[in-house]
Amino acid sequence: MLVPHQELPAADAAQPMEVVAQTEPVSTAENQPPEDPQTSRFTWTIENFTRINGKKHYSDSFVVGGFKWRVLIFPKGNNVDHFSMYLDVADSANLPYGWSRYAQFSLAIVNQIHPKYTVRKDTQHQFNARESDWGFTSFMPLSELYDPSRGYLVNDTVVVEAEVAVRRMVDYWTYDSKKETGYVGLKNQGATCYMNSLLQTLYHIPYFRKAVYHMPTTENDMPSGSIPLALQSLFYKLQYSDNSVATKELTKSFGWDTYDSFMQHDVQELNRVLCEKLEDKMKGTVVEGTIEQLFEGHHINYIECINVDYKSNRKESFYDLQLDVKGCRDVYASFDKYVEVERLEGDNKYHAEQYGLQDAKKGVLFLDFPPVLQLQLKRFEYDYMRDTMVKINDRYEFPLQLDLDRDDGKYLAPDADRSIRNLYTLHSVLVHSGGVHGGHYYAFIRPTLSDQWYKFDDERVTKEDIKKALEEQYGGEEELPQVNPGFNNTPFKFTKYSNAYMLVYIRESDKDKIMCNVDEKDIAEHLRIRLKKEQEEKEHKKKEKAEAHLYTIIKVARDEDLKEQIGKNIYFDLVDHEKVRSFRIQKQLPFTSFKEEVAKEYGIPVQFQRFWLWAKRQNHTYRPNRPLGPHEESQSVGQLREVSNKAHNAELKLFLEVETGLDLRPIRPPEKSKEDILLFFKLYNPEKEELCFVGRLFVKALGKPSEILTKLNEMAGFAPNEEIELYEEIKFEPNVMCEHIDKKLTFRSSQV
């Protein structure tokens, strides 16, 4: 895992990128200047390696881009059974406050016996005071490193290489994709960037987007359970949002709701899953057949006997074509290989039914190509010699315009329709950066097929030139400029590990139809309403969050809340403050102005309101503790919250006492002396096993429960002389505990 040696973050771009042999420093920085970055290679020969004392070991410092660097290793691993290695800012302790620098780099353990098995891993990082080193905690297994037969440890010597490119830094946080490019990115869920690059590519095929919008969905559908609605929602937000868009609803809709789900698939499989599901959902609708019309082509698998008149043909459809990269210099060479004729002879003769075994020709020819041609480049292959998957980083060219009618239509079957001109223009280039064990994905797209290319890299979208989108994604090797021109230096050659793995071409004759306008009238009304409402709520929450420091939340509980909750939501204690009326009040507002707002809300004149502060007791219950005094009510809401709230959270909890006369209209609250205690009463019916709130009373501290029995019976709806028992709630956890109250003791002595 790629990490600073102190901590272990897990991020998509932070997966180990294992590449064998020489590699080029990472070339995926945003908005990098056109001039070459300042790049250098540092070689560290570590002698007496097994005798190194200490957990970690630093190299000498070296300078790249005017900055001092060094390599940090953990010879026995950084608390793992792997060799650990990092690039470190050598002078971080002496740099000014707030320093940062950005570098792309690779670290390698050289195989001194078989150089092609050199282990090299690449990454990029913005170094700062908190993260002054970055690299790989699990660079390679210690068992491999310390095995002399493997070639990494020879004569007790290990050779480490660091290749560092210092890039101009772009402020990630202030960059505004929409403002800079007119487009927004997609958020990365942690392992989803291959999905993000594909979704951006599909979104920027306007005919496809229009068809998705026209799929029938209803306001009762839930995006997490409906692929069409989730995709509609995603596309709508990409079209109209100002910020990057989340993909979680879409991935949930096709059952990929864990990190593992993404690791089990690849972009080609995702493309097929998505298209198949959409194709199925489009059946019987106005957009039925759209997927086939856009992406489906057909070829013929044929076998033709040489010495007898026997042929066998099988027509097959395809939504994408897998093209060989290994051994092919460009796309045309891959198509040549695709239609290459195979001879079936000798031990491999073809059994031609009644003719028996015959010499034959076998091959594939195309009946037709689709308007949108998706080419999957086979960058990953199984290496039988090494018994593992490897990435093919060979140079592989692809043209801006692709002519599949070349050489008199040599790719076409005899009965193919030759009236269709198969001339294609490049729409998008999907790139994989890294090695077979991990990496990063992004896409270069021409949304309108103009000369302007854009790079869609998760949340960020940047303008790029054609060289970035084409030539720099061919792969192969690149030679770095010599450090000391004039000397007979051996030039540094690096394998470019960032290269194209999927190409999307659009047929010129279908361009106008496919690159159509898509506007609000293409979007179902229920979807527009739903998503506009979602956006408004999001903006409202964002505004609330930004202004939160200016406001206090006041939660007001009343008798009505106690009646509503006790016996239903609440059994022990009085009220759940999360379920009472909440007021969002500016801190500088006088509390008297808040009382006026309460008067409007409940129709209770200000002079009849009395507010109590709640106190948390030792048994974790809340009780109204004391009423607010005139001095407190003259303060601002913010001041009152600060004084009353020892926990310093954003909320002020109050109980609103309202007394009523015989006509049930509000009256002034009675004067309260220090001897007055406010008691709340619940009634438990053992026959029905029901609990309810029956009211509250003021009692004198030296009074006795026996003096209020008649009043309590009245509150409960009983006859005046009904025998009733009184209990006090003591504690709720670990067990509910209520104690019997002696009616002859005073309230103060019974400690109610």
mmCIF file with all atom_site columns, all heavy atoms in Angstrom, residues 507-522:
data_model
loop_
_atom_site.group_PDB
_atom_site.id
_atom_site.type_symbol
_atom_site.label_atom_id
_atom_site.label_alt_id
_atom_site.label_comp_id
_atom_site.label_asym_id
_atom_site.label_entity_id
_atom_site.label_seq_id
_atom_site.pdbx_PDB_ins_code
_atom_site.Cartn_x
_atom_site.Cartn_y
_atom_site.Cartn_z
_atom_site.occupancy
_atom_site.B_iso_or_equiv
_atom_site.pdbx_formal_charge
_atom_site.auth_seq_id
_atom_site.auth_comp_id
_atom_site.auth_asym_id
_atom_site.auth_atom_id
_atom_site.pdbx_PDB_model_num
ATOM 1   N N   . ARG A 1 507 ? -18.208 7.522  -36.166 1.00 0.00 ? 507 ARG A N   1
ATOM 2   C CA  . ARG A 1 507 ? -18.186 7.510  -37.634 1.00 0.00 ? 507 ARG A CA  1
ATOM 3   C C   . ARG A 1 507 ? -18.602 8.876  -38.176 1.00 0.00 ? 507 ARG A C   1
ATOM 4   O O   . ARG A 1 507 ? -19.590 9.463  -37.727 1.00 0.00 ? 507 ARG A O   1
ATOM 5   C CB  . ARG A 1 507 ? -19.105 6.410  -38.155 1.00 0.00 ? 507 ARG A CB  1
ATOM 6   C CG  . ARG A 1 507 ? -18.948 6.140  -39.644 1.00 0.00 ? 507 ARG A CG  1
ATOM 7   C CD  . ARG A 1 507 ? -19.414 4.760  -40.043 1.00 0.00 ? 507 ARG A CD  1
ATOM 8   N NE  . ARG A 1 507 ? -20.777 4.476  -39.585 1.00 0.00 ? 507 ARG A NE  1
ATOM 9   C CZ  . ARG A 1 507 ? -21.289 3.246  -39.518 1.00 0.00 ? 507 ARG A CZ  1
ATOM 10  N NH1 . ARG A 1 507 ? -20.541 2.200  -39.856 1.00 0.00 ? 507 ARG A NH1 1
ATOM 11  N NH2 . ARG A 1 507 ? -22.511 3.055  -39.107 1.00 0.00 ? 507 ARG A NH2 1
ATOM 12  N N   . GLU A 1 508 ? -17.820 9.378  -39.127 1.00 0.00 ? 508 GLU A N   1
ATOM 13  C CA  . GLU A 1 508 ? -18.051 10.710 -39.682 1.00 0.00 ? 508 GLU A CA  1
ATOM 14  C C   . GLU A 1 508 ? -19.473 10.858 -40.225 1.00 0.00 ? 508 GLU A C   1
ATOM 15  O O   . GLU A 1 508 ? -20.125 11.877 -40.009 1.00 0.00 ? 508 GLU A O   1
ATOM 16  C CB  . GLU A 1 508 ? -17.036 10.993 -40.802 1.00 0.00 ? 508 GLU A CB  1
ATOM 17  C CG  . GLU A 1 508 ? -15.659 11.394 -40.301 1.00 0.00 ? 508 GLU A CG  1
ATOM 18  C CD  . GLU A 1 508 ? -15.630 12.833 -39.789 1.00 0.00 ? 508 GLU A CD  1
ATOM 19  O OE1 . GLU A 1 508 ? -16.441 13.654 -40.236 1.00 0.00 ? 508 GLU A OE1 1
ATOM 20  O OE2 . GLU A 1 508 ? -14.799 13.121 -38.905 1.00 0.00 ? 508 GLU A OE2 1
ATOM 21  N N   . SER A 1 509 ? -19.964 9.829  -40.908 1.00 0.00 ? 509 SER A N   1
ATOM 22  C CA  . SER A 1 509 ? -21.294 9.939  -41.534 1.00 0.00 ? 509 SER A CA  1
ATOM 23  C C   . SER A 1 509 ? -22.425 9.974  -40.511 1.00 0.00 ? 509 SER A C   1
ATOM 24  O O   . SER A 1 509 ? -23.541 10.382 -40.821 1.00 0.00 ? 509 SER A O   1
ATOM 25  C CB  . SER A 1 509 ? -21.510 8.774  -42.510 1.00 0.00 ? 509 SER A CB  1
ATOM 26  O OG  . SER A 1 509 ? -21.371 7.533  -41.831 1.00 0.00 ? 509 SER A OG  1
ATOM 27  N N   . ASP A 1 510 ? -22.153 9.538  -39.267 1.00 0.00 ? 510 ASP A N   1
ATOM 28  C CA  . ASP A 1 510 ? -23.176 9.545  -38.213 1.00 0.00 ? 510 ASP A CA  1
ATOM 29  C C   . ASP A 1 510 ? -22.950 10.672 -37.203 1.00 0.00 ? 510 ASP A C   1
ATOM 30  O O   . ASP A 1 510 ? -23.671 10.778 -36.217 1.00 0.00 ? 510 ASP A O   1
ATOM 31  C CB  . ASP A 1 510 ? -23.158 8.200  -37.461 1.00 0.00 ? 510 ASP A CB  1
ATOM 32  C CG  . ASP A 1 510 ? -23.528 7.034  -38.350 1.00 0.00 ? 510 ASP A CG  1
ATOM 33  O OD1 . ASP A 1 510 ? -24.703 6.924  -38.698 1.00 0.00 ? 510 ASP A OD1 1
ATOM 34  O OD2 . ASP A 1 510 ? -22.618 6.255  -38.699 1.00 0.00 ? 510 ASP A OD2 1
ATOM 35  N N   . LYS A 1 511 ? -21.938 11.478 -37.453 1.00 0.00 ? 511 LYS A N   1
ATOM 36  C CA  . LYS A 1 511 ? -21.504 12.468 -36.464 1.00 0.00 ? 511 LYS A CA  1
ATOM 37  C C   . LYS A 1 511 ? -22.621 13.439 -36.092 1.00 0.00 ? 511 LYS A C   1
ATOM 38  O O   . LYS A 1 511 ? -22.853 13.705 -34.907 1.00 0.00 ? 511 LYS A O   1
ATOM 39  C CB  . LYS A 1 511 ? -20.290 13.229 -37.012 1.00 0.00 ? 511 LYS A CB  1
ATOM 40  C CG  . LYS A 1 511 ? -19.625 14.146 -36.019 1.00 0.00 ? 511 LYS A CG  1
ATOM 41  C CD  . LYS A 1 511 ? -18.255 14.602 -36.509 1.00 0.00 ? 511 LYS A CD  1
ATOM 42  C CE  . LYS A 1 511 ? -18.387 15.489 -37.735 1.00 0.00 ? 511 LYS A CE  1
ATOM 43  N NZ  . LYS A 1 511 ? -17.066 16.065 -38.123 1.00 0.00 ? 511 LYS A NZ  1
ATOM 44  N N   . ASP A 1 512 ? -23.314 13.975 -37.083 1.00 0.00 ? 512 ASP A N   1
ATOM 45  C CA  . ASP A 1 512 ? -24.355 14.978 -36.801 1.00 0.00 ? 512 ASP A CA  1
ATOM 46  C C   . ASP A 1 512 ? -25.480 14.396 -35.960 1.00 0.00 ? 512 ASP A C   1
ATOM 47  O O   . ASP A 1 512 ? -26.028 15.064 -35.081 1.00 0.00 ? 512 ASP A O   1
ATOM 48  C CB  . ASP A 1 512 ? -24.909 15.554 -38.106 1.00 0.00 ? 512 ASP A CB  1
ATOM 49  C CG  . ASP A 1 512 ? -23.869 16.397 -38.834 1.00 0.00 ? 512 ASP A CG  1
ATOM 50  O OD1 . ASP A 1 512 ? -22.897 16.810 -38.169 1.00 0.00 ? 512 ASP A OD1 1
ATOM 51  O OD2 . ASP A 1 512 ? -24.019 16.613 -40.054 1.00 0.00 ? 512 ASP A OD2 1
ATOM 52  N N   . LYS A 1 513 ? -25.832 13.132 -36.237 1.00 0.00 ? 513 LYS A N   1
ATOM 53  C CA  . LYS A 1 513 ? -26.911 12.482 -35.472 1.00 0.00 ? 513 LYS A CA  1
ATOM 54  C C   . LYS A 1 513 ? -26.462 12.215 -34.030 1.00 0.00 ? 513 LYS A C   1
ATOM 55  O O   . LYS A 1 513 ? -27.212 12.447 -33.075 1.00 0.00 ? 513 LYS A O   1
ATOM 56  C CB  . LYS A 1 513 ? -27.297 11.170 -36.150 1.00 0.00 ? 513 LYS A CB  1
ATOM 57  C CG  . LYS A 1 513 ? -28.358 10.375 -35.391 1.00 0.00 ? 513 LYS A CG  1
ATOM 58  C CD  . LYS A 1 513 ? -28.605 9.021  -36.042 1.00 0.00 ? 513 LYS A CD  1
ATOM 59  C CE  . LYS A 1 513 ? -29.557 8.179  -35.202 1.00 0.00 ? 513 LYS A CE  1
ATOM 60  N NZ  . LYS A 1 513 ? -29.728 6.824  -35.747 1.00 0.00 ? 513 LYS A NZ  1
ATOM 61  N N   . ILE A 1 514 ? -25.222 11.751 -33.880 1.00 0.00 ? 514 ILE A N   1
ATOM 62  C CA  . ILE A 1 514 ? -24.740 11.348 -32.549 1.00 0.00 ? 514 ILE A CA  1
ATOM 63  C C   . ILE A 1 514 ? -24.412 12.562 -31.682 1.00 0.00 ? 514 ILE A C   1
ATOM 64  O O   . ILE A 1 514 ? -24.717 12.590 -30.494 1.00 0.00 ? 514 ILE A O   1
ATOM 65  C CB  . ILE A 1 514 ? -23.515 10.421 -32.692 1.00 0.00 ? 514 ILE A CB  1
ATOM 66  C CG1 . ILE A 1 514 ? -23.961 9.080  -33.266 1.00 0.00 ? 514 ILE A CG1 1
ATOM 67  C CG2 . ILE A 1 514 ? -22.817 10.209 -31.347 1.00 0.00 ? 514 ILE A CG2 1
ATOM 68  C CD1 . ILE A 1 514 ? -22.841 8.203  -33.735 1.00 0.00 ? 514 ILE A CD1 1
ATOM 69  N N   . MET A 1 515 ? -23.802 13.592 -32.271 1.00 0.00 ? 515 MET A N   1
ATOM 70  C CA  . MET A 1 515 ? -23.402 14.782 -31.505 1.00 0.00 ? 515 MET A CA  1
ATOM 71  C C   . MET A 1 515 ? -24.546 15.800 -31.504 1.00 0.00 ? 515 MET A C   1
ATOM 72  O O   . MET A 1 515 ? -24.380 16.968 -31.838 1.00 0.00 ? 515 MET A O   1
ATOM 73  C CB  . MET A 1 515 ? -22.125 15.389 -32.090 1.00 0.00 ? 515 MET A CB  1
ATOM 74  C CG  . MET A 1 515 ? -20.980 14.410 -32.241 1.00 0.00 ? 515 MET A CG  1
ATOM 75  S SD  . MET A 1 515 ? -20.561 13.508 -30.721 1.00 0.00 ? 515 MET A SD  1
ATOM 76  C CE  . MET A 1 515 ? -19.795 14.811 -29.760 1.00 0.00 ? 515 MET A CE  1
ATOM 77  N N   . CYS A 1 516 ? -25.727 15.349 -31.117 1.00 0.00 ? 516 CYS A N   1
ATOM 78  C CA  . CYS A 1 516 ? -26.937 16.178 -31.164 1.00 0.00 ? 516 CYS A CA  1
ATOM 79  C C   . CYS A 1 516 ? -27.033 17.076 -29.925 1.00 0.00 ? 516 CYS A C   1
ATOM 80  O O   . CYS A 1 516 ? -26.268 16.931 -28.972 1.00 0.00 ? 516 CYS A O   1
ATOM 81  C CB  . CYS A 1 516 ? -28.168 15.292 -31.252 1.00 0.00 ? 516 CYS A CB  1
ATOM 82  S SG  . CYS A 1 516 ? -28.262 14.106 -29.887 1.00 0.00 ? 516 CYS A SG  1
ATOM 83  N N   . ASN A 1 517 ? -27.975 18.000 -29.941 1.00 0.00 ? 517 ASN A N   1
ATOM 84  C CA  . ASN A 1 517 ? -28.231 18.841 -28.773 1.00 0.00 ? 517 ASN A CA  1
ATOM 85  C C   . ASN A 1 517 ? -29.056 18.071 -27.750 1.00 0.00 ? 517 ASN A C   1
ATOM 86  O O   . ASN A 1 517 ? -29.981 17.341 -28.118 1.00 0.00 ? 517 ASN A O   1
ATOM 87  C CB  . ASN A 1 517 ? -28.998 20.111 -29.171 1.00 0.00 ? 517 ASN A CB  1
ATOM 88  C CG  . ASN A 1 517 ? -28.089 21.109 -29.854 1.00 0.00 ? 517 ASN A CG  1
ATOM 89  O OD1 . ASN A 1 517 ? -26.912 21.199 -29.539 1.00 0.00 ? 517 ASN A OD1 1
ATOM 90  N ND2 . ASN A 1 517 ? -28.635 21.837 -30.818 1.00 0.00 ? 517 ASN A ND2 1
ATOM 91  N N   . VAL A 1 518 ? -28.727 18.245 -26.485 1.00 0.00 ? 518 VAL A N   1
ATOM 92  C CA  . VAL A 1 518 ? -29.504 17.639 -25.400 1.00 0.00 ? 518 VAL A CA  1
ATOM 93  C C   . VAL A 1 518 ? -29.825 18.754 -24.416 1.00 0.00 ? 518 VAL A C   1
ATOM 94  O O   . VAL A 1 518 ? -28.915 19.358 -23.845 1.00 0.00 ? 518 VAL A O   1
ATOM 95  C CB  . VAL A 1 518 ? -28.705 16.527 -24.673 1.00 0.00 ? 518 VAL A CB  1
ATOM 96  C CG1 . VAL A 1 518 ? -29.588 15.839 -23.644 1.00 0.00 ? 518 VAL A CG1 1
ATOM 97  C CG2 . VAL A 1 518 ? -28.156 15.517 -25.663 1.00 0.00 ? 518 VAL A CG2 1
ATOM 98  N N   . ASP A 1 519 ? -31.107 19.059 -24.244 1.00 0.00 ? 519 ASP A N   1
ATOM 99  C CA  . ASP A 1 519 ? -31.462 20.136 -23.313 1.00 0.00 ? 519 ASP A CA  1
ATOM 100 C C   . ASP A 1 519 ? -32.579 19.680 -22.380 1.00 0.00 ? 519 ASP A C   1
ATOM 101 O O   . ASP A 1 519 ? -32.967 18.504 -22.381 1.00 0.00 ? 519 ASP A O   1
ATOM 102 C CB  . ASP A 1 519 ? -31.848 21.408 -24.072 1.00 0.00 ? 519 ASP A CB  1
ATOM 103 C CG  . ASP A 1 519 ? -32.874 21.145 -25.168 1.00 0.00 ? 519 ASP A CG  1
ATOM 104 O OD1 . ASP A 1 519 ? -33.778 20.306 -24.930 1.00 0.00 ? 519 ASP A OD1 1
ATOM 105 O OD2 . ASP A 1 519 ? -32.774 21.755 -26.243 1.00 0.00 ? 519 ASP A OD2 1
ATOM 106 N N   . GLU A 1 520 ? -33.122 20.622 -21.604 1.00 0.00 ? 520 GLU A N   1
ATOM 107 C CA  . GLU A 1 520 ? -34.081 20.263 -20.541 1.00 0.00 ? 520 GLU A CA  1
ATOM 108 C C   . GLU A 1 520 ? -35.330 19.579 -21.070 1.00 0.00 ? 520 GLU A C   1
ATOM 109 O O   . GLU A 1 520 ? -35.940 18.787 -20.371 1.00 0.00 ? 520 GLU A O   1
ATOM 110 C CB  . GLU A 1 520 ? -34.449 21.508 -19.728 1.00 0.00 ? 520 GLU A CB  1
ATOM 111 C CG  . GLU A 1 520 ? -33.387 21.882 -18.704 1.00 0.00 ? 520 GLU A CG  1
ATOM 112 C CD  . GLU A 1 520 ? -33.986 22.328 -17.378 1.00 0.00 ? 520 GLU A CD  1
ATOM 113 O OE1 . GLU A 1 520 ? -35.204 22.535 -17.324 1.00 0.00 ? 520 GLU A OE1 1
ATOM 114 O OE2 . GLU A 1 520 ? -33.218 22.463 -16.410 1.00 0.00 ? 520 GLU A OE2 1
ATOM 115 N N   . LYS A 1 521 ? -35.727 19.891 -22.309 1.00 0.00 ? 521 LYS A N   1
ATOM 116 C CA  . LYS A 1 521 ? -36.962 19.274 -22.825 1.00 0.00 ? 521 LYS A CA  1
ATOM 117 C C   . LYS A 1 521 ? -36.805 17.768 -23.034 1.00 0.00 ? 521 LYS A C   1
ATOM 118 O O   . LYS A 1 521 ? -37.800 17.050 -23.168 1.00 0.00 ? 521 LYS A O   1
ATOM 119 C CB  . LYS A 1 521 ? -37.421 19.966 -24.105 1.00 0.00 ? 521 LYS A CB  1
ATOM 120 C CG  . LYS A 1 521 ? -36.553 19.739 -25.321 1.00 0.00 ? 521 LYS A CG  1
ATOM 121 C CD  . LYS A 1 521 ? -37.171 20.398 -26.555 1.00 0.00 ? 521 LYS A CD  1
ATOM 122 C CE  . LYS A 1 521 ? -36.357 20.130 -27.809 1.00 0.00 ? 521 LYS A CE  1
ATOM 123 N NZ  . LYS A 1 521 ? -35.039 20.772 -27.790 1.00 0.00 ? 521 LYS A NZ  1
ATOM 124 N N   . ASP A 1 522 ? -35.560 17.297 -23.058 1.00 0.00 ? 522 ASP A N   1
ATOM 125 C CA  . ASP A 1 522 ? -35.323 15.849 -23.178 1.00 0.00 ? 522 ASP A CA  1
ATOM 126 C C   . ASP A 1 522 ? -35.456 15.129 -21.843 1.00 0.00 ? 522 ASP A C   1
ATOM 127 O O   . ASP A 1 522 ? -35.402 13.901 -21.793 1.00 0.00 ? 522 ASP A O   1
ATOM 128 C CB  . ASP A 1 522 ? -33.918 15.589 -23.735 1.00 0.00 ? 522 ASP A CB  1
ATOM 129 C CG  . ASP A 1 522 ? -33.786 16.035 -25.181 1.00 0.00 ? 522 ASP A CG  1
ATOM 130 O OD1 . ASP A 1 522 ? -34.568 15.542 -26.016 1.00 0.00 ? 522 ASP A OD1 1
ATOM 131 O OD2 . ASP A 1 522 ? -32.920 16.883 -25.459 1.00 0.00 ? 522 ASP A OD2 1
#
